[in-house]
């Protein structure tokens, strides 16, 4: 099997480089031009004709898209560019996957929902993004579905990875610098590790390969739920109990309205994962186990 991975150096892309390697040959690209066995190719997905050429040159059985415009606040001002990367590039991938009779694996977000209520969102619930990033991601999903290609779209939330910066590492750094932290306590969601997102995509793809009727949209996040405030408190307590020298004394809960940002955020990011677990007979871990693992690496314990 030949797999084309786009966005290889993002949080999820990096983990996919590892996880996809058991499937076969992986041609992995970031946004730069690269020399490959299929010629010199661009991985810049905003170059729509270049992207089309790359896919045709590699002719993969599976396209995995880990690239996205993920700067939620900046998307409010770079509207057209966010739309090209998150929506129009997905359309090109889907059209080409359809031509090749290939699978397209793609990631999306709970930000396609409006964040009302307290019930975990099901795949069949009405969408209604509250920011432009969410709207572009939703358009990307819709264009993939309309293309008729075989696809697995995983909607997830609050992604972190051991590599690079993430919310938990930022809290650790601030806990060493400041005596008090103010953290949003009225947004509820589930921190999701890039490792889990990569591993589940591969496990699901292996099954869908033999059962094309599994093509569709799935919600993917660990079990449990938390708030940014409770997540920060968990990270700080963990670090302290593992001997980190922290100066922070108070982690204060604040409301979203006290921390204005260019893009609105949904309050309810809970995702119902029953469809994924039942369709693929998968077990999902609790969110703390992945966060603990990442912290052990970050703290070098
Ligand atoms: P990252 O921001 O870590 O990675 C995104 C990658 O896309 C980066 O490597 C970036 O490259 C690349 N990229 C951006 N624009 C282009 C382009 N024009 N051409 C090629 N590559 C490009 O995101 P994640 O790994 O966290 O996100 C993976 C998926 O999960 C995305 O679909 C995202 O929408 C979704 N998601 C993410 C959430 C989160 O909290 N992060 C929450 C819910 C869903 P560069 O570094 O060069 O800009």
């Amino acid at each position: 099997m030949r797999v084309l991975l786009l966005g290889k150096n993002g949080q999820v892309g990096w983990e996919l480089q590892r996880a996809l390697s058991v499937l076969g040959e992986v041609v992995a690209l970031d946004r730069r031009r690269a020399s490959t066995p299929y010629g010199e190719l661009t991985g810049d997905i905003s170059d729509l004709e270049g992207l089309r050429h790359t896919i045709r040159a590699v002719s993969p059985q599976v396209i995995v898209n880990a690239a996205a415009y993920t700067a939620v606040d900046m998307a409010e001002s770079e509207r057209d560019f966010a739309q090209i990367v998150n929506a129009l590039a997905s359309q090109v991938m889907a059209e080409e996957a359809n031509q090749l009779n290939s699978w397209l694996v793609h990631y999306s977000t709970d930000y396609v929902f409006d964040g009302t209520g307290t019930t975990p969102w099901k795949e069949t619930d009405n969408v209604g993004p509250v920011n432009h990033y969410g709207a572009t991601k939703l358009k990307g999903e819709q264009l993939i579905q309309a293309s008729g290609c075989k696809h697995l779209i995983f909607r997830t939330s609050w992604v972190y990875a051991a590599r690079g910066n993430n919310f938990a590492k930022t809290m650790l750094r601030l806990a060493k610098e400041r005596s008090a932290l103010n953290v949003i306590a009225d947004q509820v969601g589930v921190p999701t590790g890039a490792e889990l997102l990569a591993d589940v995509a591969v496990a699901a793809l292996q099954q869908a390969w033999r059962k094309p009727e599994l093509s569709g949209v799935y919600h993917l996040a660990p079990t449990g739920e938390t708030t940014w405030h409770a997540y920060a408190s968990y990270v700080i307590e963990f670090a302290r109990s593992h001997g980190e020298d922290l100066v922070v004394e108070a982690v204060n809960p604040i409301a979203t309205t006290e921390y204005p940002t260019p893009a609105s955020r949904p309050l309810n990011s809970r995702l119902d994962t029953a469809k994924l677990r039942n369709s693929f007979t998968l077990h999902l871990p609790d969110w703390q186990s992945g966060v603990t693992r990442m912290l052990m690496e970050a703290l070098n314990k």
Side-chain angles (χ1 to χ4, degrees):
M1 187 189 295
R2 185 152 64 241
V3 181
L4 173 63
L5 169 62
L6 297 154
K8 70 171 184 172
N9 286 325
Q11 298 192 89
V12 178
W14 178 256
E15 291 299 330
L16 280 164
Q17 288 192 54
R18 167 189 58 76
L20 290 169
S21 63
V22 298
L23 295 179
E25 179 194 356
V26 181
V27 179
L29 299 173
D30 60 16
R31 67 164 81 227
R32 289 169 300 189
R33 290 191 76 79
S35 214
T36 77
Y38 308 93
E40 193 177 298
L41 301 175
T42 182
D44 180 351
I45 69 168
S46 70
D47 171 1
L48 300 179
E49 280 319 301
L51 172 63
R52 208 180 279 285
H53 172 77
T54 294
I55 298 169
R56 289 184 184 178
V58 177
S59 189
Q61 281 87 35
V62 182
I63 302 168
V64 182
N65 181 26
Y69 187 107
T70 55
V72 176
D73 288 317
M74 266 170 59
E76 296 297 318
S77 40
E78 275 197 306
R79 296 175 80 85
D80 293 347
F81 192 61
Q83 176 80 358
I84 291 170
V85 175
N86 289 345
L88 302 186
S90 311
Q91 182 178 32
V92 169
M93 292 176 213
E95 285 170 359
E96 294 302 315
N98 207 22
Q99 286 293 319
L100 293 164
N101 194 25
S102 301
W103 279 88
L104 175 59
V105 177
H106 180 78
Y107 293 91
S108 188
T109 170
D110 69 275
Y111 282 17
V112 299
F113 296 113
D114 67 8
T116 52
T118 54
T119 311
W121 298 104
K122 289 190 173 63
E123 290 80 352
T124 46
D125 286 336
N126 287 337
V127 289
V130 297
N131 57 43
H132 186 62
Y133 164 79
T136 62
K137 294 294 292 184
L138 175 61
K139 190 70 188 167
E141 289 184 4
Q142 290 168 338
L143 290 166
I144 292 170
Q145 288 169 307
S147 76
C149 78
K150 292 176 290 186
H151 59 270
L152 293 173
I153 298 174
F154 299 106
R155 285 187 189 140
T156 190
S157 72
W158 296 16
V159 178
Y160 67 86
R163 186 170 180 267
N165 291 321
N166 61 50
F167 172 80
K169 288 188 193 173
T170 303
M171 290 301 118
L172 281 180
R173 180 173 51 76
L174 294 176
K176 290 180 183 171
E177 296 169 1
R178 299 188 193 169
S179 61
L181 302 178
N182 297 333
V183 189
I184 289 172
D186 57 359
Q187 291 175 24
V188 179
V190 194
T192 304
E195 286 181 337
L196 183 72
L197 291 170
D199 292 342
V200 167
V202 171
L205 188 56
Q206 283 174 316
Q207 295 184 44
W209 188 256
R210 290 188 297 275
K211 282 173 80 180
E213 64 273 20
L214 288 171
S215 175
V217 176
Y218 295 90
H219 290 177
L220 167 52
T223 60
E225 63 181 51
T226 187
T227 64
W228 293 112
H229 175 261
Y231 182 14
S233 303
Y234 179 86
V235 166
I236 288 166
E237 278 163 34
F238 182 93
R240 196 162 258 146
S241 68
H242 284 76
E244 288 296 296
D245 196 10
L246 307 179
V247 299
V248 71
E249 284 163 10
V251 184
N252 304 316
I254 62 165
T256 301
T257 49
E258 292 176 74
Y259 188 73
T261 49
S264 305
R265 274 24 179 211
L267 296 182
N268 175 20
S269 287
R270 299 170 181 90
L271 293 172
D272 183 325
T273 60
K275 181 184 174 193
L276 177 88
R277 286 182 283 110
N278 296 335
S279 303
F280 297 101
T281 324
L282 283 174
H283 169 82
L284 292 169
D286 60 34
W287 68 264
Q288 291 91 338
S289 57
V291 168
T292 303
R293 206 179 132 81
M294 177 263 293
L295 288 172
M296 294 292 268
E297 283 188 49
L299 300 173
N300 207 4
K301 295 293 173 192

